[in-house]
Amino acid sequence: MASSQSTYSHKNTLPYAYSINNRVAIAKDNQNRYDKLTNICLLTYDIATLCGIKCNYFSPENDYERLTIPLDKLSSAIGSKVFSLKGWDYFQSCVKGFNSLGLIAEQVITTLQKYQESQEEYYKDKEIFLSSRYLLTEVESCYPDIQKYYHKLKAKPSNSQAILPLAIWKTLHKRPIICSTSSNMGISLHECIRAFQSKPIIINDKEYVMLNPDEGSLRIWCPDEKADFMNNEKSNMLHSLQEEHPKSTTLKTYINRQQRDPGALSEALSSGGYFFPTNPQSEEEIQNLLFVGLKELAEKQKCNIDQLLFDDNVTKLLDSLCAYVKESQVIVTRGVEGGIGGLMLPYFIMIEEHLRFFKGKYKTSTWNQASIGAALAATVIADQVLQNNSLLKKGTLEEFNKRFKFISDNWNKVKKITVSSHIHGLFDLANIQSLAQLLGVVVLRHTSGRGTAFVGLGSSSYSNGNLCFDILNDSAKNSGSFKGGSSFHPATHTLNYFSQAIIYGEGIYLEKLNNNNSIKFIKPEPAGAAALAGYLLYLLDHSLLSIYEIAFLLKIYGYTTSCFLSFTNFSPSQEGKDSFIQLAFEEGPFMGNLAANILNLLQYETEELRKYYLEESRISKKNRSKLKKSSFMLLENYIYYIYMTGDNTEQPSNKLREQIILNQSLNALEDIPRYSYMNKQSVFNKILGYFT
């Protein structure tokens, strides 16, 4: 069947070729992907802990940085139990922090395996490592740019006998990381290197650093300022990293994103570095990239590819990809999947925290912005592991149980939760190509508009053999928690702006409620609010939410029309209002009218808007009551976890923040009508008490 379809024949069988590439071939290693990725995930956990990130989930106590946080006012206003699922504070909540550590862990695992095979190599490297470290006090006094990362982590010293610091040093101290990205991945990898450079190691009762200031380097292939998918804010952030001392990071810019991955891989071949693509790459994609990269490097060095294959740096790069040369042909055995392993961690943490607070009482519905596809694919893989832990080898499962106490103590509950879980992906409508296209998603009500995509540049440089799509498609075909195109929803830029405002308003409320800084939501970048935008759009498009409920929520958060326009960097004038509405209309009449009406409703007095809210919310609730018991939108049965990742953006001015806080205090924020099953005493006090 596949042959006739792919060769455009009707009946007679014709030869079926996957590709014609005589220089680079594929011989898959047939490893257990679930076990391999889970091992990378567990090492990601260990590296994060080593660096000072609080993620001790084996203790019954709350000795960890909480990643699931209740959105109390949003939940009350729309009648759902909605939680954010964020990233670690050290990485500005960015999901790429997990991705970056996962790619590093994938390489460190190889080093650890070499040490297991050769004690001689281990002791030789250890002697060099211990004798060449800089004192932490020297680094702090001479390199204030490293010191600020140390204070963000507050890392405890590690014993010099530990093998993990040695393996990280061995992996990274000489070889550069070549990263292809739109921006955030490069920022997160830079933060990883700085974490290693500031991590204290105890040697003879003195504190030294794991990586010296002149060890560890990063080359970021990022969009040029002139590229239509880059903005000045992200460009300035990347350039600021390059200006830090010591200089560990340099930039290489591109205009056409098709240049990105092949160009970065070509540099990794010539330098002997590590190729860290922001998108996971399948064997087929690595095959294509290596073919292009080798050809490009041969042209630059004016030699033939056969000569390149014996170059030391080329050999190092191939070895890091687990590829090898056989009879003048490169054999690819696996893709670059470590990022998926790292990105499995937030889903495991989500389920662990869910059990700690809800004891398995509710099902889970996860809404994940698919900026690179990897975060969504990782969620699906992690969910499958939790549904069926027999996918893991005995030793891997034992190691998993040592890190997640409530999961390991409640596997029956875990399986019950995950078997009935639902996983959703949200994509930026301005970027409907890529995964949405592959999944056959059709959007009829909204249009993409002219805005530059907030989320992602496409799931891969190549669509053939797309790894993330294969994982998602497999889940859909086998009745997994991700159901395919029906679980992949658009997010519009119009709702993205409102979602940013909701998250920021919720953060102000939570800070005020706790009277401390242990909870803090700041303004997320657009990609960080995309999952919430897609969730709200789904509710609106299915008549489960009213525009009045959104407007009333924004009002009690403290937004007026002018405050909202200032928050979204539009002029707080009639001209700014018209510009915002015009931009919304380019996404279709539904978004245009939503924008115009919400901005007008924000001019109402709070009590007048409350009356409309109560009337409309009753209709929303009635529509929800008509849903089938099996519906994933039957709100009483679910906790909705919304990925909110990435705070790498300019924050509102102090003046605007103070005005929003003042407005919030005048709007009787605590007096939102609550749904009966949203009893604050039974749900939110317990959870919010964690932070106080």
Side-chain angles (χ1 to χ4, degrees):
M1 180 64 71
S3 177
S4 63
Q5 288 180 344
S6 300
T7 57
Y8 292 106
S9 60
H10 293 297
K11 183 178 180 181
N12 295 319
T13 302
L14 292 169
Y16 178 68
Y18 288 90
S19 69
I20 299 297
N21 190 332
N22 295 322
R23 179 57 67 185
V24 185
I26 294 175
K28 297 187 179 183
D29 61 11
N30 296 317
Q31 285 191 46
N32 178 338
R33 172 174 281 158
Y34 299 98
D35 189 80
K36 180 176 71 174
L37 290 177
T38 300
N39 272 299
I40 291 172
C41 177
L42 297 179
L43 186 55
T44 300
Y45 177 114
D46 292 345
I47 294 174
T49 302
L50 173 72
C51 291
I53 294 172
K54 291 181 65 177
C55 48
N56 179 13
Y57 288 94
F58 185 70
S59 168
E61 305 301 324
N62 297 327
D63 187 25
Y64 53 85
E65 178 187 336
R66 177 122 194 210
L67 299 189
T68 59
I69 299 176
L71 304 179
D72 187 21
K73 291 303 159 188
L74 175 64
S75 299
S76 301
I78 69 175
S80 308
K81 290 177 281 292
V82 183
F83 282 61
S84 73
L85 174 57
K86 70 182 193 70
W88 286 313
D89 287 343
Y90 178 72
F91 294 102
Q92 290 76 238
S93 296
C94 186
V95 73
K96 303 293 175 64
F98 300 106
N99 197 10
S100 300
L101 286 176
L103 284 165
I104 291 170
E106 186 173 31
Q107 298 301 327
V108 171
I109 279 179
T110 302
T111 304
L112 290 169
Q113 290 170 344
K114 288 179 180 178
Y115 285 153
Q116 288 179 344
E117 295 166 1
S118 173
Q119 288 286 304
E120 182 180 350
E121 183 175 355
Y122 165 73
Y123 285 114
K124 179 182 176 182
D125 286 345
K126 185 177 178 181
E127 183 179 349
I128 297 171
F129 173 69
L130 295 178
S131 63
S132 60
R133 297 305 85 209
Y134 279 42
L135 281 165
L136 179 62
T137 52
E138 291 180 286
V139 173
E140 286 186 317
S141 60
C142 298
Y143 301 100
D145 286 333
I146 292 181
Q147 185 181 18
K148 68 183 181 183
Y149 290 91
Y150 170 76
H151 288 298
K152 281 178 66 178
L153 284 165
K154 298 179 181 177
K156 295 180 180 178
S158 177
N159 192 297
S160 62
Q161 301 303 313
I163 193 172
L164 183 54
L166 175 64
I168 293 172
W169 168 81
K170 175 67 172 180
T171 304
L172 297 178
H173 79 290
K174 282 187 177 180
R175 296 174 62 181
I177 292 172
I178 315 299
C179 167
S180 59
T181 180
S182 57
S183 58
N184 276 349
M185 182 73 171
I187 295 171
S188 293
L189 279 169
H190 176 86
E191 290 165 338
C192 288
I193 289 175
R194 288 295 191 233
F196 300 146
Q197 289 173 333
S198 61
K199 169 64 185 180
I201 306 293
I202 296 291
I203 305 174
N204 297 328
D205 298 325
K206 293 183 179 180
E207 292 186 3
Y208 296 81
V209 291
M210 182 164 63
L211 278 188
N212 288 339
D214 58 350
E215 295 175 332
S217 64
L218 171 66
R219 176 80 155 179
I220 302 175
W221 279 65
C222 57
D224 190 89
E225 294 172 357
K226 298 176 183 177
D228 61 0
F229 46 86
M230 189 55 162
N231 62 61
N232 290 333
E233 189 176 342
K234 280 295 175 67
S235 179
N236 292 338
M237 286 183 180
L238 287 167
H239 280 284
S240 71
L241 305 182
Q242 192 172 229
E243 293 166 4
E244 287 185 0
H245 183 67
K247 187 173 184 177
S248 299
T249 295
T250 56
L251 306 181
K252 167 70 177 181
T253 60
Y254 59 85
I255 297 288
N256 180 353
R257 71 182 178 89
Q258 295 299 330
Q259 303 169 340
R260 183 182 72 181
D261 288 350
L265 182 58
S266 178
E267 181 172 351
L269 284 164
S270 65
S271 65
Y274 298 105
F275 174 54
F276 280 11
T278 194
N279 310 307
Q281 305 286 317
S282 67
E283 296 93 339
E284 290 82 4
E285 290 171 307
I286 290 296
Q287 179 192 32
N288 283 328
L289 287 169
L290 276 174
F291 178 75
V292 175
L294 286 167
K295 184 179 177 182
E296 182 179 312
L297 184 59
E299 290 174 355
K300 285 182 180 178
Q301 297 190 2
K302 296 181 180 180
C303 65
N304 60 50
I305 293 179
D306 284 338
Q307 292 172 302
L308 276 183
L309 297 182
F310 295 97
D311 182 270
D312 286 344
N313 285 334
V314 170
T315 301
K316 287 178 182 178
L317 184 278
L318 294 178
D319 184 60
S320 71
L321 295 174
C322 291
Y324 60 92
V325 178
K326 182 179 180 181
E327 297 177 357
S328 297
Q329 188 177 49
V330 176
I331 309 297
V332 174
T333 62
R334 65 164 176 82
V336 179
E337 304 181 12
I340 293 179
L343 286 161
M344 291 166 66
L345 187 52
Y347 190 76
F348 289 146
I349 290 173
M350 183 195 89
I351 295 297
E352 173 74 17
E353 294 185 3
H354 183 83
L355 285 167
R356 287 178 178 240
F357 284 94
F358 296 108
K359 313 299 182 186
K361 180 180 178 182
Y362 297 101
K363 303 174 185 178
T364 63
S365 179
T366 310
W367 296 67
N368 186 321
Q369 63 91 355
S371 66
I372 55 176
L376 181 57
T379 300
V380 169
I381 291 284
D383 184 78
Q384 290 170 334
V385 167
L386 294 178
Q387 285 189 38
N388 182 12
N389 60 28
S390 65
L391 293 168
L392 304 181
K393 295 177 182 178
K394 182 181 177 182
T396 306
L397 182 58
E398 289 174 352
E399 290 299 316
F400 185 97
N401 287 336
K402 291 177 183 178
R403 290 165 177 79
F404 297 100
K405 178 173 179 55
F406 277 67
I407 292 177
S408 63
D409 289 347
N410 298 278
W411 273 110
N412 288 334
K413 286 184 179 179
V414 170
K415 291 175 183 179
K416 185 177 179 181
I417 291 168
T418 52
V419 163
S420 58
S421 64
H422 286 270
I423 295 172
H424 299 264
L426 294 312
F427 65 94
D428 188 333
L429 189 55
N431 185 34
I432 195 169
Q433 294 85 5
S434 167
L435 281 180
Q437 188 179 47
L438 291 172
L439 290 166
V441 176
V442 177
V443 181
L444 299 176
R445 182 172 283 195
H446 312 286
T447 58
S448 59
R450 63 177 164 89
T452 299
F454 286 157
V455 179
L457 299 175
S459 63
S460 178
S461 298
Y462 299 94
S463 59
N464 183 38
N466 185 292
L467 178 60
C468 296
F469 169 71
D470 289 343
I471 291 171
L472 299 175
N473 198 37
D474 181 69
S475 174
K477 286 182 176 179
N478 293 287
S479 302
S481 296
F482 179 78
K483 309 299 182 186
S486 63
S487 296
F488 207 51
H489 317 289
T492 61
H493 287 195
T494 304
L495 267 175
N496 210 311
Y497 287 119
F498 291 115
S499 297
Q500 285 178 292
I502 287 170
I503 294 168
Y504 187 74
E506 190 78 36
I508 290 175
Y509 161 69
L510 289 173
E511 286 181 54
K512 178 182 175 183
L513 183 69
N514 288 277
N515 196 28
N516 61 31
N517 292 319
S518 56
I519 291 183
K520 191 168 185 178
F521 289 152
I522 60 178
K523 180 182 178 180
E525 59 191 274
L532 180 59
Y535 172 72
L536 295 176
L537 183 60
Y538 185 93
L539 293 177
L540 287 165
D541 280 345
H542 291 80
S543 301
L544 303 174
L545 181 66
S546 163
I547 191 173
Y548 286 90
E549 293 170 275
I550 294 177
F552 180 65
L553 181 64
L554 290 168
K555 186 74 174 179
I556 61 169
Y557 278 143
Y559 293 100
T560 60
T561 302
S562 61
C563 282
F564 174 80
L565 289 169
S566 296
F567 177 83
T568 53
N569 298 319
F570 285 81
S571 171
S573 62
Q574 185 62 44
E575 183 179 350
K577 180 180 177 182
D578 291 343
S579 296
F580 183 86
I581 294 170
Q582 176 59 37
L583 200 62
F585 264 109
E586 293 184 11
E587 295 186 309
F590 283 91
M591 287 298 97
N593 284 294
L594 178 141
N597 287 321
I598 289 183
L599 292 184
N600 287 334
L601 289 172
L602 288 177
Q603 295 175 328
Y604 285 29
E605 293 296 326
T606 304
E607 288 308 311
E608 182 182 7
L609 187 53
R610 183 190 300 273
K611 294 175 184 177
Y612 290 114
Y613 161 81
L614 290 170
E615 180 182 348
E616 293 273 320
S617 64
R618 280 193 290 268
I619 298 172
S620 294
K621 187 176 181 182
K622 183 178 179 181
N623 290 341
R624 291 167 185 166
S625 69
K626 297 176 183 177
L627 294 171
K628 294 180 180 179
K629 289 186 177 180
S630 60
S631 172
F632 63 83
M633 296 308 298
L634 195 61
L635 306 176
E636 294 92 333
N637 299 339
Y638 284 89
I639 302 290
Y640 291 84
Y641 290 102
I642 314 293
Y643 273 67
M644 294 181 183
T645 64
D647 300 331
N648 289 315
T649 192
E650 184 180 353
Q651 295 301 307
S653 66
N654 289 334
K655 182 179 179 181
L656 177 58
R657 181 179 177 85
E658 290 168 4
Q659 184 61 57
I660 292 172
I661 291 172
L662 176 62
N663 294 344
Q664 196 175 97
S665 65
L666 297 174
N667 287 335
L669 191 60
E670 280 69 27
D671 192 27
I672 289 188
R674 307 183 71 89
Y675 285 77
S676 59
Y677 55 86
M678 291 301 299
N679 186 301
K680 185 172 181 178
Q681 296 304 315
S682 63
V683 179
F684 285 106
N685 266 2
K686 179 180 179 183
I687 298 166
L688 292 173
Y690 166 90
F691 300 97
T692 57

